[in-house]
């Protein structure tokens, strides 16, 4: 069982060592910006490391939207990040499911996802797995509730997309954690990564505020059960720096370990 943390991009391997993490996730560029990643000086070191590397795409990316001025750059930036992530030996690139605007047709959003994968294929293909992550909020999200997730997978199934299950987002988004792995896998056929987070907010609140495990509204044993059932690696995206994340990793190791 590989367990790790979302860390600062400055020195991910040092951050992993400090936390006793077997995996790290970080951003390759400002998560709120449109800038392409710059080449990393530690690329060779990252590629050679035993620590599993995951890259989170910027939050601004929304490939589902009907707004051309967001969708087209999103599509390009996603591919740019996929290439940069592959360059440093990352296992996968994680991206949020995105949304359409109020009043827009959801089915166009699902089809925009299909076009995103088709675009990437035409441009030479994705050099690593892209994992679509479930999100917590909004009425027009592609991957908040699993009825929509099923429609998304119908649209993109042929492209072999991966899935990242965030436990905070599921709870806050209104999906019960009990038996969640079976429900997801009946749609996607796979879970590639778990984002193991507690939620500061209540069930179906639609709010995305992560908390340390056992500190928020989620029974940590449900998070542990999801990790065990999925067999997937887990990344904590929790607050509290080295101390907070180390405690979360220790809790998961203790309860989810062999
Ligand atoms: Zn997440």
């Amino acid at each position: 069982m590989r367990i790790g943390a979302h860390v600062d991009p400055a020195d991910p391997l040092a951050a992993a060592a400090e936390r006793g993490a077997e995996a790290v996730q970080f951003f390759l560029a400002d998560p709120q910006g449109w800038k392409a990643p710059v080449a990393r000086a530690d690329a060779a070191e990252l590629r050679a490391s035993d620590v599993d590397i995951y890259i989170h795409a910027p939050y601004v990316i929304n490939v589902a939207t009907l707004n051309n001025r967001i969708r087209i750059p999103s599509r390009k930036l996603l591919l740019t990040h996929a290439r940069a992530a592959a360059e440093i030996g990352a296992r996968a690139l994680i991206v949020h499911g995105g949304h359409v605007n109020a009043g827009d047709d959801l089915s166009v959003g699902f089809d925009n996802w299909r076009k995103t994968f088709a675009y990437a294929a035409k441009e030479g293909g994705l050099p690593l797995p892209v994992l679509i992550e479930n999100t917590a909020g909004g009425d027009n999200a592609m991957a908040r509730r699993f009825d929509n997730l099923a429609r998304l997978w119908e649209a993109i199934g042929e492209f072999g997309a991966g899935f990242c299950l965030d436990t905070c987002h599921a709870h806050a988004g209104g999906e019960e954690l009990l038996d969640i792995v079976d429900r997801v896998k009946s749609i996607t056929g796979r879970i590639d990564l778990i984002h193991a987070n507690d939620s500061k907010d209540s069930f179906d609140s639609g709010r995305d505020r992560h908390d340390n495990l056992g500190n928020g509204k989620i029974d940590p044993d449900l998070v542990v059960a999801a990790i065990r059932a999925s067999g997937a690696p887990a990344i904590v995206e929790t607050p509290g720096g080295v101390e907070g994340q180390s405690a979360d990793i220790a809790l998961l190791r203790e309860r989810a370990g062999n």
Side-chain angles (χ1 to χ4, degrees), residues 29 60 63 71 99 131 234 238:
V60 292
V63 303
R71 187 179 70 258
H99 58 92
L131 315 183
T238 50

Side-chain angles (χ1 to χ4, degrees), residues 18-247:
E18 282 177 319
R19 289 159 177 78
E22 293 149 332
V24 282
Q25 174 184 280
F26 52 96
F27 293 113
L28 288 177
D30 174 8
Q32 307 293 353
W34 292 96
K35 285 218 178 97
V38 291
R40 291 187 62 104
D42 59 356
E45 209 187 329
L46 290 166
R47 273 198 304 271
S49 170
D50 289 338
V51 175
D52 295 344
I53 312 283
Y54 292 90
I55 298 302
H56 202 301
Y59 298 127
V60 292
I61 288 181
N62 181 5
V63 303
T65 180
L66 278 63
N67 180 343
N68 289 341
R69 289 195 302 209
I70 303 285
R71 187 179 70 258
I72 303 301
S74 289
R75 210 180 256 180
K76 287 187 179 152
L77 193 60
L78 185 67
L79 184 54
T80 308
H81 275 259
R83 287 173 178 157
E87 193 62 32
I88 59 166
R91 303 218 150 207
L93 174 69
I94 295 97
V95 61
H96 286 178
H99 58 92
V100 299
N101 289 328
D104 284 343
D105 185 356
L106 283 169
S107 61
V108 180
F110 301 126
D111 196 52
N112 284 339
W113 257 114
R114 183 191 60 75
K115 287 179 177 167
T116 298
F117 280 105
Y119 161 81
K122 192 178 59 110
E123 294 293 313
L126 289 163
L128 84 177
V130 167
L131 315 183
I132 301 175
E133 178 177 356
N134 63 314
T135 53
D139 292 328
N140 306 290
M142 300 285 103
R144 172 181 177 173
R145 298 264 170 63
F146 294 169
D147 50 349
N148 282 352
L149 185 66
R151 294 178 66 188
L152 174 60
W153 238 259
E154 244 167 65
I156 63 169
E158 66 187 287
F159 296 106
F163 186 73
C164 172
L165 173 66
D166 187 307
T167 54
C168 168
H169 298 174
H171 169 88
E175 289 288 345
E176 298 282 355
L177 288 179
L178 196 66
D179 298 328
I180 193 163
V181 167
D182 289 343
R183 298 203 318 282
V184 169
K185 283 178 107 174
S186 73
I187 295 166
T188 64
R190 61 196 274 183
I191 294 177
D192 300 83
L193 183 66
I194 301 272
H195 280 168
N197 305 310
D198 205 335
S199 166
K200 288 187 197 296
D201 300 288
S202 51
F203 184 77
D204 206 16
S205 59
R207 301 193 66 189
D208 182 3
R209 296 191 306 155
H210 298 188
D211 206 344
N212 296 101
L213 299 172
N215 232 33
K217 308 280 192 197
I218 299 177
D219 175 355
D221 283 331
L222 288 172
V223 177
V224 169
I227 295 171
R228 290 190 76 122
S230 71
I235 294 280
V236 302
E237 299 173 305
T238 50
V242 175
E243 203 183 328
Q245 292 188 334
S246 297

